[in-house]
């Protein structure tokens, strides 16, 4: 009855769920996700696909896990003949996930969709197990009213094997594909194997119990766990019994086998997780962990996962191994002399000694206030208001003066005990009693310097060295850069001082400080230990390992980053917060580092310090824009989208919260953005266009996946943001500018034309006035003088003078008529070529040969324009005659539809480049005048040297000004 009661109590405790602390396994850190944390209940299958996601098959459906969040995956279509209970999962080499249902056959998750994948519409039977081979074949075991069935999907087609083929006529359980391609099949009770390339199985001389589960060891040995125990199926065959009260889900429930190092882990027992060391004393060494997991799985990083009725749990190899001690650590390490180097520490329940890698209690009782090591593997402690020598054959009490109280530290120097009492005094043991050392400074604590002297600390005031001579200050006042000092420790001829704000070191020539503001993991430092390869520290961020060469370089450049590894942070191992005297890191005689932490005393196993070398796979979970969620590798967003949020994840499960990320949005970011551990990227003020979001990640050990993953994002434009609209707008603006320029040119041309017409009108008016007034008046005077002349006798002196005067008057009158005719003729349009020919004759006087050609439709030219063109041509020909040493001059007139151009070129030596550059010679205004005339006409004047020799002048006048 008593055994029955104990068994019922055990079942009750398992049903209620074991405390998380009871699930601890030495050398592993673990985390448990229950329903309250979003995990699904009743997990029956676990798999990991090629993309890195973890998949959970549960009684309520399929879930995807990224290390932090659980996402339920719904089937793409509704099928009332398909169960919601998932009984098996298999990850295929092509990245697909195969799903087995309690009824309804199998499905496959591929390209983001979960679809049915059966050979028939209504498959019979219940899927028990699935396996995927390296060749892509999928194996499925099914039991139903038609009997056992093994289904195989090969080359895209299903094939079914029944007892009518080669299965035994007995229930079928599991199927397993070994690394060499061998297929192992567990029936009940028979076991079969299908070698690679074979078409039929061969029986195995083993008997399977219920339920059965396979696993393969590193060397290739295949094992099976069932109700008959643990069996090795490959040679040499073995059978080892497992002490168990059966599976937690009945005789045909789930059992899962996983080989972990030199142990076999078996889940699904009523006792919880059964751990069997792979040695001959398996039954005697069996250890049970109260975990309700029924299925076990190891991912590609080596993390072990367990799933069951109470959620998901994982176990990750950790270098930190906790010592089995009672109570909470209270005092740091004291190190005994000699090669054995025993380590002592105290909890609030006992004093412990570490020797041979194990911690043993050497004195029980609370209230241990100080502790120091003595010879012979013993320690001196102040406990229960007494100074005690412990660790020997018996505990010995040492008398202290009644006038002192509250000791804070002690030192045993060669059998002589020194005790400090806070800021009161320091006592030194002498034959027959104790001597107050009033010649020494009072100190919070004292520490040995390893050479027969002491270091004494006065917090925030000074650190002293007490040696053969008078005590001397080695660090004081504001120079103490580490803040409140907790640790003074000599190592290798140097003294290290640790405090709340960093670590300092001195070799006798002053202190160099590594400050916590540059190295945050040094904040709250309470321990340092050094071995030939590494420096070990413990502070407010956890246990820290620094390579010895990097540690030495740090003191040469204290502000530069130091390569380091933080250990135990995820398990909460940090320095003791309220310790005022500390030595929380030491190395034992075997070279193993030990640490006193806020959560116990731990050691570091060096063979577990290998970094995780697996680059983390990456996934972009979704993109959120305008209240909608988008998934996939390419998304299209509507016009007006200006803000997007992208959720991404690195699928490294060793410590998901410390995965690091970098991302960039190509087309927006100029460089990578260091996101730290943040898993969300947000962008605002995005315009239309195509972008590419890229993200890379590193696992907590700094191994980067630099290929990463990406998503293409296309934001549609409004019509006014399209290229064709912008092009049309540019064309419209260009047209408006062109019209504006044309309008301005027309206005300017009209103004010039008006000036020319005004000029012609003035000439015509002057001609009229001259004719109607001056010439008519002169003509009248001449008639009156002729009348007077008729009355004078011939030969009269006055008659001779008057005739001479009348002749001169006739000349003046003719000259006036000529001028009036000239003014009137210059108002009417003229033929330009004859005018320029006459000008050339007047200027050249036959000294140079001149030719005139015309092109285009010849039209008369406005008289003022022709006059100015003639004057420009005259100046050009004069310059060629005088300066160019030319032989010929060619004049070409081109009558265009929009302009009139006159080109005068010679074959002389050309124009001086300096004259051409400055537009003329100082004091000479011929070229200046020509340009001014061309500008008055609204035209342009261009002068350049001709090829191969000579000078070319071209004046161009708009047609609307040149012609009338």
């Amino acid at each position: 009855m008593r055994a029955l009661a104990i068994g019922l109590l055990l079942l009750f405790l398992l049903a209620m769920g074991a405390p998380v602390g009871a699930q601890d396994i030495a050398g592993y850190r673990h985390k448990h996700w229950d329903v309250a944390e979003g995990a699904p209940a009743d997990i029956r299958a676990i798999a990991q696909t090629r993309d890195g996601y973890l998949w959970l098959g549960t009684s309520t459906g399929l879930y995807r896990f990224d290390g932090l969040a659980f996402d339920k995956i719904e089937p793409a279509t509704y099928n009332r003949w398909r169960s919601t209970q998932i009984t098996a999962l298999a990850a295929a080499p092509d990245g697909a996930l195969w799903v087995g249902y309690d009824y309804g056959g199998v499905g496959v998750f591929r390209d983001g969709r979960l679809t049915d994948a059966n050979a028939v519409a209504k498959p019979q039977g219940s899927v028990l197990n699935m396996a995927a081979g390296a060749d892509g074949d999928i194996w499925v075991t099914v039991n139903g009213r038609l009997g056992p069935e093994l289904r195989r999907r090969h080359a895209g087609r299903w094939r079914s094997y029944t007892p009518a083929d080669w299965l035994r006529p007995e229930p079928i359980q599991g199927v397993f594909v070994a690394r060499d391609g061998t297929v192992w099949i567990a029936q009940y009770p028979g076991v079969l194997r299908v070698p690679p390339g074979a078409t039929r199985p061969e029986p195995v001389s083993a008997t399977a119990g219920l339920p059965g589960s396979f696993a393969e060891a590193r060397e290739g040995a295949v094992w099976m766990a069932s109700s008959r125990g643990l069996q090795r199926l490959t040679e040499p065959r073995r059978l080892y019994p497992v002490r168990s009260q059966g599976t937690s889900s009945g005789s045909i429930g789930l059992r899962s086998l996983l080989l972990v190092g030199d142990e076999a882990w078996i889940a699904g027992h009523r006792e919880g997780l059964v751990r069997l060391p792979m040695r001959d004393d398996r039954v005697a060494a069996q250890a049970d962990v109260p975990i309700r997991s029924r299925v076990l799985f190891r991912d590609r990083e080596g993390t072990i996962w367990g799933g069951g009725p109470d959620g998901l749990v994982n176990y990750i190899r950790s270098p930190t191994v906790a010592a089995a001690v009672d109570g909470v650590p209270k005092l740091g390490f004291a190190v005994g002399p000699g090669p054995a180097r025993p380590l002592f520490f105290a909890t609030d329940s006992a004093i412990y000694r570490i020797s041979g890698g194990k911690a043993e209690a050497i004195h029980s009782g609370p209230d241990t206030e100080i502790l120091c090591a003595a010879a012979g593997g013993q320690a001196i402690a102040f406990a229960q208001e007494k100074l005690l020598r412990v660790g020997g054959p018996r505990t010995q009490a040492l008398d202290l003066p009644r006038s002192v109280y509250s000791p804070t530290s002690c030192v045993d120097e060669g059998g002589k005990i020194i005790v400090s009492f806070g800021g009161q005094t320091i006592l030194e043991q002498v034959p027959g009693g104790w001597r107050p050392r009033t010649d020494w400074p009072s100190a919070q604590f004292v520490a040995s310097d390893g050479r027969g002297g002491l270091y004494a600390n006065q917090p925030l005031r000074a650190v002293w060295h007490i040696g053969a001579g008078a005590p001397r200050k080695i660090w004081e006042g504001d120079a103490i850069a580490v803040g409140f000092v907790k640790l003074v420790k000599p190592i290798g001829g140097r003294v290290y001082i640790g405090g709340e704000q960093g670590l300092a070191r001195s070799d006798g020539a002053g202190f160099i400080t590594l400050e916590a503001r540059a190295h945050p993991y040094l904040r709250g430092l309470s321990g340092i230990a050094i071995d030939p390869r590494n420096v070990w520290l413990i502070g407010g961020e956890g246990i820290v390992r620094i390579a010895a060469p990097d540690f030495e370089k740090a003191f040469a450049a204290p502000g530069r980053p130091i390569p380091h590894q933080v250990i135990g942070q995820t398990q909460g191992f940090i320095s003791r917060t309220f310790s005022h005297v500390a030595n929380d890191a030491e190395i034992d005689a075997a070279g193993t580092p030990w640490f006193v932490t806020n959560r116990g005393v731990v050691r570091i196993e060096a063979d577990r310090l290998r970094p995780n070398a697996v680059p983390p796979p990456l996934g972009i979970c979704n993109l959120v824009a305008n209240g909608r969620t988008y998934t996939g590798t390419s998304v299209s967003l509507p016009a007006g989208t200006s803000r997007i949020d992208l959720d991404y994840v690195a699928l490294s499960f060793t410590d998901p919260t410390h995965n690091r990320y970098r991302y960039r949005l190509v087309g927006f970011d100029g460089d990578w953005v260091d996101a730290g551990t943040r898993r969300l990227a947000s962008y605002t003020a995005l315009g239309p266009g195509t972008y590419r979001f890229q993200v890379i990640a590193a696992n907590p050990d700094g191994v980067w996946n630099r290929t990463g993953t990406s998503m293409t994002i296309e934001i549609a434009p409004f019509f006014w943001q399209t290229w064709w609209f912008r092009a049309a707008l540019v064309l419209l603006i260009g047209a408006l500018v062109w019209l504006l320029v044309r309008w301005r040119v027309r206005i300017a041309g009209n103004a010039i034309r008006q000036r020319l017409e005004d000029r012609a009108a003035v000439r015509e008016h002057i001609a009229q006035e001259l004719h109607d007034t001056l010439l008519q008046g002169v003509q009248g005077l001449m008639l009156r003088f002729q009348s007077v002349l008729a009355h004078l006798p011939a030969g009269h002196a006055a008659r001779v003078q008057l005739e001479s005067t009348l002749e001169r008057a006739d000349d003046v009158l003719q000259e006036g008529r000529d001028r009036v005719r000239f003014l009137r003729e210059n108002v009417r349009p003229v033929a330009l070529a004859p005018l320029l020919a006459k000008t050339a004759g007047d200027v050249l006087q036959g000294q140079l040969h001149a030719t005139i050609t015309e092109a285009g439709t010849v039209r008369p030219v406005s008289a003022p324009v022709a006059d100015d063109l003639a004057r420009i041509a005259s100046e050009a020909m004069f310059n060629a005659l005088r300066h160019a040493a030319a032989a010929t001059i060619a004049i070409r007139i081109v009558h265009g539809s929009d302009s009139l151009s006159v080109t005068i070129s010679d074959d002389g030596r050309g124009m001086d480049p300096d004259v051409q550059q400055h537009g003329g010679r100082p004091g000479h205004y011929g070229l200046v005048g020509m340009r001014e005339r061309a500008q008055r006409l609204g035209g342009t004047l261009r002068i350049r040297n001709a090829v191969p020799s000579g000078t070319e002048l071209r004046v161009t006048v708009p047609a609307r000004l040149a012609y009338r």
Side-chain angles (χ1 to χ4, degrees):
M1 290 296 293
R2 182 178 180 183
L4 178 59
I6 294 174
L8 291 174
L9 177 62
L10 178 61
L11 287 175
F12 173 76
L13 291 175
L14 283 172
M16 293 299 293
V20 174
Q23 299 178 359
D24 290 343
I25 298 177
Y28 290 85
R29 55 184 173 91
H30 87 283
K31 179 173 175 56
H32 182 240
W33 292 264
D34 59 17
V35 176
E37 295 175 284
D42 197 14
I43 299 171
R44 305 186 64 180
I46 304 176
Q48 186 178 30
T49 45
R50 189 176 61 186
D51 58 11
Y53 281 103
L54 204 69
W55 297 87
L56 309 176
T58 77
S59 60
T60 58
L62 179 66
Y63 288 81
R64 182 173 62 189
F65 184 52
D66 62 14
L68 296 173
F70 298 87
D71 294 322
K72 188 175 183 181
I73 306 299
E74 297 291 351
T77 59
Y78 172 76
N79 183 356
R80 64 189 180 91
W81 303 105
R82 179 182 58 234
S83 174
T84 60
Q85 300 187 50
I86 295 176
T87 56
L89 295 174
D94 63 356
L97 178 73
W98 290 86
V99 181
Y101 298 101
D102 184 42
Y103 62 84
V106 299
V108 61
F109 182 86
R110 182 183 284 119
D111 298 329
R113 300 178 75 247
L114 176 58
T115 58
D116 293 332
N118 298 296
V120 295
K122 296 180 181 179
Q124 301 293 316
S126 176
V127 174
L128 268 71
N129 192 238
M130 301 179 73
D135 57 0
D137 287 1
I138 306 299
W139 299 82
V140 184
T141 61
V142 180
N143 276 323
R145 60 185 179 85
L146 300 180
E149 182 183 0
L150 178 66
R151 298 172 185 167
R152 179 189 183 189
R153 189 176 190 273
H154 175 73
R157 302 186 64 181
W158 286 103
R159 168 72 191 274
S160 178
Y161 302 96
T162 67
D165 299 297
W166 43 256
L167 276 185
R168 293 184 176 184
E170 56 193 36
I172 190 169
Q173 302 186 75
V175 61
F176 176 77
V177 182
R179 289 192 295 269
D180 66 357
T182 301
V183 180
W184 296 81
I185 305 163
Q187 294 192 254
Y188 179 66
V191 180
L192 305 174
R193 65 186 293 268
V194 183
T199 57
R200 298 184 63 86
E202 56 187 38
V204 178
S205 59
T207 303
L210 286 174
S213 176
F214 295 99
E216 185 175 9
R218 286 190 299 265
E219 72 278 6
V222 177
W223 294 76
M224 181 178 67
S226 69
S227 58
R228 295 196 68 245
L230 180 64
Q231 303 178 69
R232 175 169 173 154
L233 301 180
T234 52
E235 299 294 341
R237 291 191 174 90
R238 295 176 184 170
L239 173 61
Y240 300 100
V242 177
R243 186 177 64 248
S244 173
Q245 299 180 24
T247 60
S248 60
S249 53
S251 60
I252 58 173
L254 288 175
R255 180 181 279 112
S256 183
L257 171 64
L258 193 66
L259 303 179
V260 183
D262 59 355
E263 290 185 341
W265 290 19
I266 308 173
H269 289 267
R270 296 182 184 179
E271 295 83 359
L273 175 66
V274 173
R275 296 171 57 214
L276 293 176
M278 304 288 279
R279 299 189 297 269
D280 291 337
D281 56 346
R282 298 178 191 279
V283 176
Q286 177 176 323
D288 300 333
V289 182
I291 303 172
R292 299 181 65 197
S293 296
R294 296 173 181 171
V295 59
L296 295 175
F297 177 78
R298 178 168 41 225
D299 68 20
R300 66 190 60 176
E301 293 177 300
T303 299
I304 298 171
W305 299 87
D310 58 349
L312 184 68
V313 64
N314 72 0
Y315 284 90
I316 302 171
R317 281 174 60 92
S318 171
T320 56
V321 180
V325 299
D326 294 328
V328 177
K330 188 175 182 181
L331 297 176
F333 292 114
V335 185
R341 285 182 61 83
L343 307 181
F344 301 90
F345 66 92
T347 70
D348 57 6
S349 300
I351 300 172
Y352 288 86
R353 176 175 56 207
I354 297 174
S355 182
K358 296 182 178 180
E360 58 174 337
I362 58 175
H363 179 76
S364 298
D367 303 327
T368 302
E369 296 187 39
I370 63 172
L371 182 67
C372 57
Q378 301 181 55
I380 306 298
F382 187 87
Q384 296 90 45
E385 300 297 329
K386 297 177 182 179
L387 188 65
L388 306 174
R389 184 183 295 273
V390 298
R394 62 185 181 85
T395 299
Q396 178 185 359
L398 306 174
D399 292 331
L400 276 176
R402 295 178 179 271
S403 58
V404 295
Y405 58 90
S406 298
T408 54
S409 66
C410 66
V411 173
D412 186 331
E413 282 290 337
K416 180 175 64 176
I417 302 172
I418 299 171
V419 183
S420 67
F421 293 84
Q424 303 173 59
T425 187
I426 299 176
L427 297 182
E428 179 183 20
Q429 188 184 39
V430 296
W434 298 87
R435 177 177 62 166
R437 295 306 303 256
T438 56
D439 55 332
W440 293 353
S442 60
Q444 174 72 21
F445 67 85
V446 293
S448 172
D449 68 356
R451 303 188 302 272
L454 299 174
Y455 290 108
N457 177 53
Q458 296 174 325
L460 302 176
R461 292 165 54 199
V463 179
W464 297 76
H465 181 257
I466 302 172
R472 61 184 181 88
K473 293 179 181 179
I474 60 173
W475 216 15
E476 64 176 320
D478 293 340
I480 302 176
V482 298
F484 190 95
V485 173
K486 296 183 177 183
L487 168 70
V488 179
K489 187 172 184 178
I491 304 175
R494 294 164 169 162
V495 60
Y496 293 86
I497 297 181
E500 293 185 352
Q501 300 299 326
L503 173 69
R505 184 178 81 176
S506 174
D507 55 6
F511 284 91
I512 301 175
T513 304
L514 304 178
E515 296 185 14
R517 60 182 175 179
H519 314 286
Y521 49 87
L522 297 180
R523 185 170 286 113
L525 192 73
S526 63
I528 179 172
I530 301 177
D531 64 28
R533 292 186 300 175
N534 298 298
V535 175
W536 302 91
L537 307 165
I538 180 168
E541 291 195 2
I543 299 168
V544 177
R545 180 178 72 157
I546 301 175
D550 293 330
F551 188 69
E552 289 301 316
K553 293 177 183 177
F555 285 97
R560 292 182 181 176
I562 308 171
H564 66 282
Q565 179 184 6
V566 179
I567 302 169
Q569 186 179 35
T570 55
Q571 297 164 271
F573 292 132
I574 62 174
S575 59
R576 296 178 296 134
T577 307
F578 297 105
S579 61
H580 299 294
V581 181
N583 180 30
D584 292 348
E586 278 295 350
I587 297 174
D588 65 14
T592 301
W594 289 80
F595 300 89
V596 178
T597 76
N598 62 320
R599 300 190 63 185
V601 176
V602 300
R603 72 176 186 270
I604 301 294
E605 293 192 356
D607 62 338
R608 291 173 172 260
L609 278 172
R610 292 187 298 271
N612 176 15
V614 179
L618 275 155
I620 298 176
C621 306
N622 57 59
L623 179 151
V624 178
N626 306 315
R628 291 187 56 188
T629 299
Y630 300 83
T631 59
T633 59
S634 180
V635 299
S636 297
L637 304 178
T641 301
S642 62
R643 176 187 174 91
I644 60 174
D645 298 304
L646 296 117
D647 186 14
Y648 48 83
V649 62
L651 299 169
S652 174
F653 298 105
T654 57
D655 187 4
T657 60
H658 286 83
N659 292 330
R660 297 186 60 84
Y661 302 90
R662 293 175 186 165
Y663 64 81
R664 67 179 176 183
L665 185 63
V666 178
F668 187 87
D669 291 322
D671 202 355
W672 291 94
V673 177
D674 191 344
T677 59
R678 183 163 45 89
R679 292 179 46 187
L680 181 69
S682 297
Y683 287 92
T684 58
L686 293 177
T690 300
Y691 303 89
R692 187 163 175 255
F693 180 74
Q694 298 175 310
V695 58
I696 59 177
N699 64 25
D701 289 321
V703 178
W704 283 90
N705 176 353
R706 299 194 179 277
T707 302
T709 188
S710 64
M711 174 187 281
T712 301
I713 304 163
E714 184 174 356
I715 301 177
F718 289 113
F719 77 89
W720 61 81
Q721 295 174 316
T722 57
W723 68 267
W724 55 265
F725 180 83
R726 292 177 180 174
L729 187 61
V730 169
L731 290 176
L732 178 61
I733 293 174
L736 291 175
V737 171
W738 181 79
L739 290 174
L740 178 63
V741 171
R742 292 272 298 179
W743 177 68
R744 292 294 300 170
V745 169
R746 183 175 295 276
I747 289 177
N750 290 339
I752 296 173
R753 185 183 185 92
Q754 187 62 44
R755 286 200 302 270
L756 294 175
E757 291 178 351
D758 291 344
R759 180 177 168 187
V762 169
R763 285 189 173 193
E764 188 172 6
H765 178 68
I766 292 172
Q768 291 174 351
E769 290 297 321
L770 285 175
H771 179 273
D772 295 341
T773 58
L774 182 61
L775 292 182
Q776 291 294 339
V778 171
Q779 183 68 33
L781 288 175
M782 288 180 63
L783 291 174
R784 295 188 67 179
F785 278 117
Q786 287 176 353
S787 176
V788 172
L789 180 63
H791 292 85
L792 291 176
H796 194 278
R799 184 182 181 92
V800 174
Q801 290 181 355
L802 188 57
E803 288 177 347
S804 176
T805 300
L806 287 173
E807 290 176 0
R808 178 60 183 156
D810 283 335
D811 293 339
V812 171
L813 185 60
Q814 185 61 44
E815 186 177 355
R817 289 193 180 100
D818 291 341
R819 178 57 59 180
V820 169
R821 185 174 57 256
F822 174 78
L823 289 175
R824 286 186 173 277
E825 288 176 353
N826 281 348
V827 171
R828 298 183 182 87
V830 298
L832 185 59
L835 176 61
L836 294 184
K838 180 177 182 302
T839 302
D842 293 341
V843 173
L844 300 178
Q845 296 293 320
Q847 299 182 50
L848 295 178
H849 177 68
T851 61
I852 299 178
T853 59
E854 281 188 291
T857 302
V858 178
R859 290 183 286 170
V861 177
S862 173
V865 174
D867 183 53
D868 282 335
L869 290 176
R871 293 180 183 275
I872 293 173
S874 174
E875 180 68 24
M877 288 185 285
F878 179 77
N879 289 337
L881 179 64
R882 184 176 180 183
H883 304 293
T888 61
I889 289 180
I891 301 174
R892 178 176 173 80
I893 304 170
V894 178
H895 298 271
S897 60
D898 58 349
S899 65
L900 167 67
S901 67
V902 177
T903 304
I904 301 102
S905 59
D906 62 62
D907 58 356
R909 58 172 170 250
M911 182 176 288
D912 187 342
D914 186 64
V915 174
Q916 188 174 2
Q917 180 179 358
H918 293 90
R921 298 179 186 275
H924 296 260
Y925 302 100
L927 294 179
V928 175
M930 286 192 290
R931 286 194 175 90
E932 290 175 348
R933 288 181 181 277
Q935 290 174 0
R936 283 199 304 270
L937 293 175
T940 59
L941 179 73
R942 190 184 68 174
I943 303 175
R944 66 184 182 90
N945 285 333
V947 177
S949 64
T951 303
E952 181 184 278
L953 179 148
R954 176 177 295 174
V955 58
T956 303
V957 180
R960 64 179 177 275
L961 302 178
Y963 305 107
R964 293 183 63 184

